[in-house]
Every structure is written in C-alpha cells, then in structure tokens.
Amino acid sequence: MRELDDILRVRERASGPVVLATVVAVSGSSYRRPGARMLMGEDGWLAGGVSGGCLEGDLVRKAFFWTSGGPRVLRYDTTGDNAEDEGGLSFALGCNGVVDILLERWEPGPGDALTFAADARGRSLRAVVATVFRGPEEAVGSRLMLREDGVEAGKLSGGLHGPVHAAATEALVRGLPWSGACGGAEVLVEVVEPAPPVVVFGGGFDVAPVVSRAQGLGWHLTVVADRPVELLRRRFPHAQAFIASRATEVLEKVPLSARSLVLVMTHSLPQDRELLARLVPLPVRYLGVLGPRARTERILRELPQPPTAALLEKLHAPMGLDLGAEGADEIALSILAELQTVLAGRDGGRLRERQAPIHADAPAPERRSA
C-alpha cells in the first residue's frame, strides 16, 4: 500500500488538475490486480502504476481528453488476438488478460476515498472502499467507505446503497476484496489494511537493512533495544518508532497486537531468553528468532512454562526463507521474504512450480441484485 502514500504525497506537491486511474476489474492474466492506482498530471508526470509499463503511456497521453465529460471506464484487451471489445482498446502484448480501468478527475479532501483510506492506515485500522464503476450513469465513480471502528463516509444513490453497504461490511469483516456485480451495478470492493507493524528487538548493525528495506515496502517499523532513543533514531533513521526497553520490561513498554510481526535480533542469549518467555505466549501474527535452531530450542526448554504446539506454530526459528543468505543484506532479504509470505498467506515456493494463477483471486461474496 505504499502506492497510496506516494500518490497522496505527490498530489500535495502538484499543481493543476489530475486524473486518477484505478484498476477496477481483471479477467485473465494481469500484472496488477483490482485496486492498483496511478495519478497523472497534464504535463505527463505520473505516480503509481496500473500495469508493468504497458498501458501507462497510452493513459497519460489520453486521460484528460477521456475524462472531460466525467468518469470513464476503459477496457484494455492484452490477449494479443486483435479482438477489441466495445469501447475497449486492443494491445498485442500476449498477456492473455482484459483490464478495466476507471479514469476520473480527482481532488483530495475530507470526503475523498484515498484520504479516508490513508487516515485509516494512520490509525492502524482496516478500511473498505466500495467504488461503482458500471451501472447508472450518475452512480459511476461514486463510493461508500467503511472503517472497522464504525466510521462511514459516502452514500450511493437509489437502490445501490443497501446491497453495496452489505457487501462492504462483509469485506470489512472477512478482509477479502472483490470486484463484480452488486445491486444492479458493477462494484470494486477494496480492503485497505493498515501498514504491517514490524517490531524489531535489537540494535545491532544487521537490524539496519531490515528496517530500511521494510520501510521501502510501506511497513511500519518499531525498533526496541536497551539503548537511548536518540541513539536508535540516529542508527535507524528509516524506522517510525523507537522504544528504549530492557527485555524484562517489554510487556509494559512495547505495544503488541495480533497483527504484529516480531523479530528477535539481539544476539544475546540472556536477552532472548527473557524476551521469548514474554513473547511466545502472546497472540502475535509472527514471531521470528535470529540464530541457529538448536539455540532457540535450548531457550524454549528453559522457559518456566513449555509452549504449546499452537504457540509454536507462529514461531519461526531460525527466521527467514532458505535463500542461501550470507551477510546482513542478504539475511534481511531472507527475513522480509518470509514476512511477505505470512502477510500474503503463501508458502514462498517457486512460481514456475505453482499450478494456480500467480494472483489467486479471493472468492467473491454471493452476487447481490437490487
């Protein structure tokens, strides 16, 4: 979701009108999935992306003309068979996919969907944005937005509001985005997750590449160590939060939740023993420990209360994927790759051995009619 942050940041600096392009539906193969966005200026600049570079040039050249009369959906056919859908454009790319892109003039503000989503992320809350992209002309481009703390914004006209609100509420609970028919229109229902909260225990040199690379992915980094905060701030400038804490104080000083991804990188056996005694029982999403498996197994045997099998399920020791990593930068890549598999619900195998499509679509809710 760093793309969302980049678009909002660029818009703050830009002058003049802009056009927002959003992938709203995909059939077959596509480099980007529904919810991917790109912002364009009249002088040709852009932020974000809706493909691997195949469609951006055409969109930048024509977006302002196409949106002169209001929002418009363009269909790009990339199957390479020269077939052209009504109102669509054929590109001989051989990607075997059809991509629908909503184009609209855009100005951020309090009721704007991207501002709403960014604010939810800033509060560490899940949000849902439901966008009508086909249906009654007056409804195209309209949105309904929900946040998991009960805040809502936007309203759809006619009989659309009820069915779309029900679909958006279901997506908010299940965390599954989808695109399709709903209430007599076609709707993109996006789930905007808060930035993954990564908490790193340790202040050594090998923490730095983990922090910098995770920040580049748009994740939220907290560094915890028994050192002054100002020292941590200077050493790890890419982190968002710093906590000076002894291992025995982490439960009182360090905020952890079921969404937390926790990395133990202290290189200290006594500290790790104290940390794991406190961290293993917590319902965090991921708990990884740097170092040999035998070292962690020794610590676990010495814990006052042996962890259950369910608690050990989230424990990754040694943490990281088997990439043959050597050195701090490669080890950071290995660790972050494993975190990505946890976030995506994947196993990290080779794509050439994957039988399902690369982007496995989440099952959509039952289609709703008016």
Side-chain angles (χ1 to χ4, degrees), residues 10-368:
V10 168
R11 184 64 187 101
E12 288 178 357
R13 301 195 305 264
S15 59
V18 297
V19 171
L20 183 67
T22 305
V23 177
V24 290
V26 168
S27 175
S29 298
S30 173
Y31 189 85
R32 300 298 305 274
R33 307 306 294 168
R37 288 185 171 84
M38 180 175 71
L39 190 66
M40 297 164 279
E42 281 188 301
D43 55 358
W45 62 262
L46 59 86
V50 294
S51 76
C54 328
L55 310 178
E56 279 77 358
D58 189 71
L59 286 168
V60 170
R61 287 192 299 272
K62 302 174 181 177
F64 285 87
F65 170 77
W66 278 329
T67 57
S68 59
R72 177 173 176 179
V73 175
L74 289 182
R75 171 164 290 182
Y76 283 91
D77 182 352
T78 67
T79 57
D81 59 4
N82 293 322
E84 185 167 317
D85 293 281
E86 182 181 355
L89 301 170
S90 179
F91 284 71
L93 302 174
C95 296
N96 299 317
V98 178
V99 183
D100 289 341
I101 298 178
L102 172 67
L103 297 175
E104 55 190 325
R105 301 289 177 98
W106 178 60
E107 185 63 41
D112 167 66
L114 297 195
T115 304
F116 183 91
D119 182 63
R121 277 168 54 82
R123 298 171 185 268
S124 298
L125 296 170
R126 174 185 288 169
V128 164
V129 177
T131 304
V132 178
F133 63 91
R134 281 198 181 91
E137 184 176 354
E138 68 278 4
V140 173
S142 59
R143 291 179 170 88
L144 178 67
M145 297 156 279
L146 309 179
R147 212 167 67 188
E148 64 179 337
D149 61 352
V151 172
E152 299 187 13
K155 187 173 177 63
L156 306 179
S157 60
L160 277 176
H161 188 83
V164 174
H165 190 282
T169 300
E170 182 177 351
L172 190 65
V173 173
R174 298 176 63 194
L176 296 177
W178 63 277
S179 176
C182 183
E186 290 186 64
V187 181
L188 168 64
V189 180
E190 299 174 76
V191 177
V192 181
E193 298 285 0
V198 180
V199 181
V200 185
F201 289 92
F205 73 94
D206 55 350
V207 172
V210 171
V211 170
S212 62
R213 283 176 168 78
Q215 188 272 341
L217 294 170
W219 300 354
H220 185 279
L221 273 297
T222 300
V223 176
V224 184
D226 186 11
R227 301 183 185 183
V229 167
E230 285 307 315
L231 174 62
L232 298 176
R233 198 185 309 277
R234 290 195 302 271
R235 180 170 289 183
F236 309 111
H238 297 289
Q240 286 79 28
F242 308 88
I243 300 175
S245 173
R246 294 186 177 88
T248 55
E249 302 172 319
V250 296
L251 296 184
E252 294 76 31
K253 290 189 173 183
V254 183
L256 296 170
S257 72
R259 286 174 172 157
S260 298
L261 305 163
V262 180
L263 313 179
V264 177
M265 303 179 65
T266 72
H267 296 279
S268 166
L269 184 63
Q271 286 190 61
D272 285 2
R273 186 182 295 114
E274 295 285 356
L275 285 170
L276 290 182
R278 291 158 174 78
L279 296 174
V280 168
L282 299 181
V284 296
R285 189 170 188 178
Y286 173 99
L287 175 58
V289 184
L290 193 68
R293 177 182 289 106
R295 178 179 182 273
T296 302
E297 289 175 347
R298 172 188 168 185
I299 293 173
L300 295 177
R301 288 195 300 269
E302 295 172 352
L303 293 182
Q305 184 173 350
T308 64
L311 290 174
L312 289 176
E313 188 67 28
K314 67 169 182 294
L315 181 64
H316 299 254
M319 61 181 169
L321 297 187
D322 184 7
L323 305 181
E326 181 74 23
D329 289 301
E330 294 176 4
I331 291 172
L333 177 63
S334 168
I335 293 170
L336 297 180
E338 183 173 57
L339 293 186
Q340 176 59 32
T341 67
V342 172
L343 293 171
R346 298 290 184 89
D347 61 9
R350 290 181 171 88
L351 286 176
R352 71 177 183 180
E353 297 172 0
R354 181 175 171 81
Q355 300 303 309
I358 294 174
H359 299 291
D361 292 328
E366 181 180 351
R367 300 310 191 206
R368 297 167 172 80

